[in-house]
Amino acid sequence: MAETAVAEFEAHRARLFGIAYRMLGSASEAEDIVQEAYLRWERADRSAMLAPGPWLAKVVTNLSLNELTSARVRRERYVGQWLPEPVLTATSGADGRAGAGVGGAAGATPPLGPLETAEQRDSVSFALLVLLERLTPPERAVFVLREAFAYPHREIAEVLEVSEANSRQLYRRAKQAVHGSALAARTASAGPTARTTPTASAAPTAAAAPTAAVDGRSGSDQQPERERERWVGLVETFVTAAREGDLARLERLLADDVVSYADGGGQVGTARRPILGPSKVARYLAGGLTKFAAGVDLVPYEVNGGPALLALAEGQLLGVVSLEVADGRIAELRISVNPDKLAYAARQLAVCRPVG
């Protein structure tokens, strides 16, 4: 009986982790939420449940809503720029084809669920997760359940214990806020003041930038494998130019409105405000590699469904650089080096290590 209960819960684990992670932007907190959901599942009268899936989704969503309140207070005090925790979504190095399980095991269900389409990958992109920070907790819950998991409003209303009309209203507000934030970010990056007026780094919305789900950068009509082939080549060229200090070549790989964000959490020295423009970003990256990356391997990898680099030294994960590619050039970089935020990805690597 106990084994059956465990097996039934495990069948829902990826979806539960995916809900909590999208709600919180934190893999470690999502793990805690899923573990608490399991404890409640063990204690519950499962014979009275019509369907385990909706019951578990409701538990995880409500636990995530409770956690969001304290999480936002912590982020307001965060040192420097806040970025979501990276999650590896591939088990092989450059090709990024195999799925990584919750613990990183090859062949297991990917921790964020299937990411077989551009829309599914966009739903866990760093860009979208940062934009979701602008939403109220109920708006975020509705947006995640509707956009990422295609829940009907009837089921969302039951999960949140609101009316179906209220669920639709929350969803409309959330979509308007996300689209509005993305449009504002694109407009700002195109304007003359974008290079001189960085966003406030201490605020939870500091790293806001347009998401592929909103601005169509990823190209949802393209096949995932074709997209991967394109970004792997671009990323490898980018690494070579950065290591060689070839600023001219590096600048050519960066979009005119490129932005670099970095999250060291006050534990690792990073730029505490966004770096804007190809020349400044190129110098920043080349200088950082020259100063800090001696003996560090930079491995192309798929993180949060998109192109990224893993910084590895003697088998240890030192950082993750998530990249957003637009029109064949790198439009955004998000550099995660806060050790606390790399713990989940490091555990994944301990089980399934990429080939450098």
Side-chain angles (χ1 to χ4, degrees):
M1 185 69 176
E3 292 181 359
T4 301
V6 171
E8 193 165 16
F9 183 86
E10 290 300 320
H12 297 278
R13 180 181 285 273
R15 175 175 289 246
L16 301 177
F17 180 86
I19 292 172
Y21 177 74
R22 288 168 174 87
M23 287 282 292
L24 300 168
S26 168
S28 56
E29 291 172 1
E31 279 190 305
D32 292 341
I33 293 289
V34 173
Q35 180 60 26
E36 176 60 27
Y38 176 72
L39 295 177
R40 297 190 181 195
W41 167 256
E42 275 194 318
R43 297 192 298 265
D45 180 7
R46 294 184 294 276
S47 64
M49 294 180 194
L50 296 177
W55 187 91
L56 288 167
K58 182 173 184 176
V59 169
V60 165
T61 301
N62 286 325
L63 288 171
S64 299
L65 285 170
N66 293 338
E67 181 63 26
L68 267 180
T69 302
S70 57
R72 290 196 169 196
V73 172
R74 292 194 300 272
R75 287 167 199 174
E76 288 172 359
R77 302 170 182 163
Y78 198 77
V79 177
Q81 302 169 73
W82 178 90
L83 292 177
E85 291 183 18
V87 174
L88 310 185
T89 49
T91 58
S92 54
D95 63 19
R97 290 175 186 168
V102 173
T109 302
L112 298 177
L115 301 177
E116 299 166 349
T117 67
E119 289 80 10
Q120 289 171 337
R121 293 194 303 279
D122 291 340
S123 76
V124 293
S125 70
F126 270 32
L128 181 58
L129 292 173
V130 170
L131 283 177
L132 294 184
E133 290 291 300
R134 294 177 177 265
L135 305 181
T136 66
E139 288 171 350
R140 186 162 183 165
V142 172
F143 188 90
V144 166
L145 293 173
R146 181 68 177 164
E147 288 283 309
F149 298 98
Y151 274 63
H153 282 290
R154 175 181 54 79
E155 292 185 18
I156 296 174
E158 292 174 359
V159 167
L160 298 180
E161 297 183 351
V162 299
S163 68
E164 189 171 338
N166 193 13
S167 173
R168 293 180 183 278
Q169 184 181 39
L170 288 168
Y171 177 62
R172 282 194 299 271
R173 288 208 302 259
K175 286 199 71 173
Q176 288 171 357
V178 169
H179 279 263
S181 298
L183 179 61
R186 290 201 303 274
T187 302
S189 67
T193 60
R195 300 290 180 257
T196 58
T197 312
T199 52
S201 61
T205 58
T211 170
V214 176
D215 69 10
R217 279 178 166 172
S218 290
S220 59
D221 58 331
Q222 297 178 6
Q223 294 297 319
E225 293 305 321
R226 189 185 310 167
E227 287 186 53
R228 290 191 182 104
E229 290 173 4
R230 290 179 179 177
W231 69 251
V232 166
L234 174 64
V235 169
E236 289 174 343
T237 303
F238 169 80
V239 170
T240 300
R243 280 205 176 280
E244 294 176 354
D246 189 341
L247 294 179
R249 188 182 187 190
L250 197 55
E251 285 187 40
R252 289 195 295 272
L253 298 173
L254 302 174
D256 294 338
D257 59 350
V258 65
V259 186
S260 175
Y261 307 96
D263 180 348
Q267 300 188 56
V268 178
T270 59
R272 293 194 178 184
R273 290 184 177 273
I275 307 296
L276 306 162
S279 61
K280 291 183 179 180
V281 170
R283 289 197 302 270
Y284 174 64
L285 295 173
L289 281 173
T290 301
K291 186 175 181 180
F292 299 109
V296 172
D297 293 323
L298 297 176
V299 181
Y301 210 82
E302 184 185 289
V303 174
N304 284 66
L309 291 167
L310 304 186
L312 303 172
E314 298 181 355
Q316 300 299 310
L317 180 64
L318 300 184
V320 174
V321 183
S322 176
L323 307 169
E324 185 175 334
V325 177
D327 300 324
R329 292 195 292 174
I330 295 170
E332 292 171 8
L333 304 92
R334 290 181 169 82
I335 304 169
S336 302
V337 290
N338 182 344
D340 294 340
K341 290 190 173 184
L342 298 176
Y344 183 86
R347 289 199 300 275
Q348 288 182 293
L349 281 177
V351 177
C352 187
R353 191 166 301 282
V355 179

